[in-house]
């Protein structure tokens, strides 16, 4: 498969599944996808994020050698929502290496408190922060304040996830 051509061919769930299946459990193929996600032009980067996040969800070990680049990429200005959304989505259920936890926390707090951030980015950020609160309980008050302040003004999806995260951190 010519991965870049497939990414540009169409942006659909079927195409995402096709790419994820082609990558399978092949680290080299995943590395090729990651390189496109980090280094290619706007349209390729935007479309590569969706299959990338699902590859990591299925094979968490794929991201092991890419944490530094992934987090560095999230610090770039004017990132497309798809890049932020898929980068944070893949972190939701992972054990983030200790040396990157502080940076991830900062990024997620920035996204969560931003009044202009996309809903999905905020929702995935609150999940990552909820998981990090297990390790760093001192962040719980800040998470609570941010979520409770935004609850009355947000969508049903935000409210649903926020209630789950508040319940999760309330048990800590």
């Amino acid at each position: 498969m010519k991965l870049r051509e497939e990414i540009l061919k169409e942006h659909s769930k079927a195409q995402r599944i096709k790419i994820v299946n082609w990558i399978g459990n092949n680290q080299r193929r995943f590395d090729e996808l990651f390189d496109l996600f980090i280094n290619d032009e706007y349209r390729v980067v935007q479309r590569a994020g969706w299959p990338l996040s699902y590859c990591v969800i299925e094979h968490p070990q794929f991201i092991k050698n890419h944490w530094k680049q992934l987090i560095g990429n999230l610090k770039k200005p004017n990132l497309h929502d798809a890049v932020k959304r898929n980068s944070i989505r893949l972190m939701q259920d992972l054990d983030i290496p200790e040396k990157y936890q502080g940076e991830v926390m900062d990024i997620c707090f920035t996204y969560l408190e931003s009044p202009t951030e996309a809903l999905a980015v905020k929702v995935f950020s609150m999940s990552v922060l909820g998981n990090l609160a297990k390790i760093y309980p001192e962040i719980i008050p800040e998470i609570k304040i941010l979520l409770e302040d935004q609850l009355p003004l947000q969508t049903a999806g935000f409210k649903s996830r926020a209630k789950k995260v508040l319940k999760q951190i309330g048990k800590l």
Side-chain angles (χ1 to χ4, degrees), residues 67-134:
W67 279 104
K68 185 176 181 177
Q69 276 187 291
L70 181 70
I71 293 165
N73 193 50
L74 285 171
K75 293 178 179 179
K76 291 179 183 174
N78 305 315
L79 276 181
H80 190 278
D81 286 346
V83 174
K84 294 185 274 189
R85 179 179 61 248
N86 288 299
S87 296
I88 301 299
R89 174 194 287 135
L90 69 82
M91 293 182 200
Q92 284 185 115
D93 298 314
L94 294 182
D95 291 328
I96 298 167
E98 186 176 353
K99 70 181 183 177
Y100 299 116
Q101 291 170 355
E103 290 177 281
V104 169
M105 221 181 295
D106 288 344
I107 290 165
C108 289
F109 271 122
T110 299
Y111 291 159
L112 186 57
E113 67 191 8
S114 170
T116 58
E117 196 58 68
L119 177 67
V121 176
K122 285 179 168 259
V123 168
F124 294 136
S125 293
M126 74 173 83
S127 292
V128 171
L129 289 169
N131 292 335
L132 288 169
K134 296 172 189 169

